[in-house]
């Protein structure tokens, strides 16, 4: 393997591919990035078995001799980042020993033979869904934060993607809150899968421009084609719980308020609360809305919300301030509407004008 390449082009590709690499992988070869030089370009692959990212560099590269090698993700990324040269040269010297030249710097980096790298199938198979990249990014950002960190229920560590009736519904929950985002589809596809949060976060980071994204859904994996990148994620092999019963068809009480006002109130009210619980109480009637928090060890705080508009009978409800703040940020709207049915029933948070993004928070006994 021997080639010359523009440093910024290689660095950009390595930075994205390396996001799939885990330096703690039980399989040593997966701590590296596979370089596969063909006659028409350089294919870079990174993987930790759960997520795999591959891209092909065809521009700003001079191919001298084809070949392949696996180089440590940690070191190759730092070498390319710090070399003070516009162009970098790569050459395999002996076995997997690779020389990297740039400007006044020369590195000899021990690699691993490419045949030790697991075969990863990036072929385009399964149910095809085409979706706008900005829509996919929105769906991920509006739901993935609500996944569970607890591996006891694996299904809850991912986001449920459910396509049916020309609509894609994404749901995430950790049992204490729920995030649901929807988008209409042009395709009449039907599937019901769970994608790990980590994979979705990396896909969101790779999306940089507004363009159609092709998604291929199979039984055990899903393939995303994002610009010049191919991202494969394993699917969580589990059934997602039925969350439809959590969202009521009718809510008796309604609070409309500025997002910034409510976020500010939560920030100040939780100052004296227990950091683990961030418990606050919202007390509402048509004339007066307040948010309070009380800690026996520290003290108490009360915050008036004079510009909040409440409709319904007097109601007091306690919940995690952090969860409500996360929900408001996910909605990303100037004003939000909170709808309640009872003091100990889950309440929803949504945009004033749209039901495309519904956030649900479970109350707690105070």
């Amino acid at each position: 393997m021997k080639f010359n390449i523009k440093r910024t082009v290689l660095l950009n590709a390595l930075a994205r591919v390396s996001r799939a690499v885990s330096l703690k992988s039980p399989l040593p070869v997966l701590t590296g990035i596979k370089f596969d030089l063909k006659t028409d370009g350089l294919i870079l692959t990174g993987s930790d078995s759960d997520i795999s990212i591959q891209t092909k560099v065809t521009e700003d590269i001079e191919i001298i001799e084809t070949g392949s090698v696996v180089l440590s993700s940690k070191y190759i990324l730092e070498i390319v980042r710090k070399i003070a040269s516009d162009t970098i040269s790569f050459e395999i010297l002996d076995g997997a020993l690779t020389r990297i030249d740039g400007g006044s710097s020369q590195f000899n980096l021990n690699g691993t033979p490419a045949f030790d790298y697991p075969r990863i199938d990036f072929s385009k198979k399964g149910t095809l869904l085409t979706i706008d990249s900005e829509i996919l990014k929105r769906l991920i950002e509006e739901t993935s934060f609500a996944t569970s960190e607890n591996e006891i229920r694996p299904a809850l560590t991912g986001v449920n993607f459910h396509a049916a009736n020309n609509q894609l519904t994404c749901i995430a929950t950790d049992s204490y809150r729920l995030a649901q985002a929807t988008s209409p589809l042009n395709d009449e596809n039907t599937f019901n899968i769970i994608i790990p949060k980590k994979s979705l976060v990396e896909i969101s980071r790779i999306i940089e421009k507004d363009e159609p994204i092709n998604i291929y859904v199979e039984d055990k994996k899903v393939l995303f084609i994002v610009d010049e990148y191919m991202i494969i994620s394993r699917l969580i092999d589990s059934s997602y719980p039925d969350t439809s019963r959590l969202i009521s068809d009718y809510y008796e009480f309604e609070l409309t308020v500025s997002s910034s006002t409510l976020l500010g109130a939560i920030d100040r009210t939780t100052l004296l609360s227990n950091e683990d619980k961030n418990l606050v109480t919202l007390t509402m009637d048509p004339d007066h809305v307040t948010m309070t928090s009380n800690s026996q060890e520290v003290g108490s705080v009360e915050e008036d919300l004079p510009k909040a508009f409440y409709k319904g009978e007097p109601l007091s409800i306690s919940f995690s301030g952090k969860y409500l703040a996360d929900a408001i940020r996910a909605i990303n709207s100037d004003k939000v509407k909170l709808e309640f049915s009872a003091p100990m029933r889950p309440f929803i948070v949504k945009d004033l004008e749209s039901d495309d993004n519904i956030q649900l928070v479970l109350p707690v006994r105070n």
Side-chain angles (χ1 to χ4, degrees), residues 42 72 121 133 278 287 310:
L42 172 65
S72 164
D121 183 10
S133 61
N278 285 300
D287 300 319
Y310 177 71

Side-chain angles (χ1 to χ4, degrees), residues 52 125 127 191 193-196 199-200 203 215-224 231-235:
S52 304
K125 299 182 294 185
T127 301
F191 56 80
I193 59 176
I194 308 172
I195 305 176
S199 302
L200 294 172
I203 289 162
I215 304 174
Y216 294 86
V217 179
E218 295 186 63
D219 289 339
K220 295 185 178 181
K221 66 179 183 179
V222 58
L223 169 66
F224 294 82
I231 305 110
I232 288 179
S233 172
R234 71 170 179 88
L235 298 177

Side-chain angles (χ1 to χ4, degrees), residues 180-324:
Q180 176 179 294
T182 60
S183 176
L185 294 176
N186 294 324
D187 305 322
E188 295 184 6
N189 290 322
T190 302
F191 56 80
N192 194 354
I193 59 176
I194 308 172
I195 305 176
K197 174 184 176 178
K198 178 190 174 183
S199 302
L200 294 172
V201 169
E202 297 304 340
I203 289 162
S204 181
R205 286 174 178 167
I206 287 174
I207 294 172
E208 290 187 338
K209 57 186 179 182
D210 192 7
E211 62 181 341
I213 289 178
N214 287 333
I215 304 174
Y216 294 86
V217 179
E218 295 186 63
D219 289 339
K220 295 185 178 181
K221 66 179 183 179
V222 58
L223 169 66
F224 294 82
I225 312 293
V226 182
D227 196 14
E228 300 298 322
Y229 294 86
M230 304 174 75
I231 305 110
I232 288 179
S233 172
R234 71 170 179 88
L235 298 177
I236 296 175
D237 185 16
S238 185
S239 296
Y240 207 78
D242 179 13
T243 58
S244 59
R245 58 184 174 79
L246 293 174
I247 300 175
S248 174
D249 293 329
Y250 177 70
Y251 290 91
E252 262 187 282
F253 317 108
E254 182 182 295
L255 176 69
T256 304
V257 63
S258 156
S259 296
S260 58
T261 297
L262 196 50
L263 284 171
I266 293 168
D267 186 41
R268 290 183 290 273
T269 309
T270 55
L271 273 174
L272 304 185
S273 66
N274 183 297
E275 287 187 8
D276 293 333
K277 296 180 180 179
N278 285 300
L279 190 63
V280 298
T281 299
L282 200 55
T283 303
M284 300 164 285
D285 65 52
D287 300 319
H288 196 206
V289 177
T290 60
M291 183 176 288
T292 58
S293 177
N294 181 55
S295 169
Q296 290 184 346
E297 297 83 7
V298 184
S300 62
V301 57
E302 179 175 317
E303 178 90 15
D304 283 327
L305 284 84
K307 295 183 179 180
F309 176 74
Y310 177 71
K311 184 171 65 176
E313 295 296 319
L315 178 69
S316 182
I317 188 168
S318 300
F319 50 87
S320 163
K322 178 185 181 304
Y323 287 172
L324 178 57

Side-chain angles (χ1 to χ4, degrees), residues 104-116:
S104 59
S105 304
Q106 183 181 92
F107 295 84
N108 291 333
L109 184 62
N110 288 320
T112 304
F115 57 75
D116 288 343

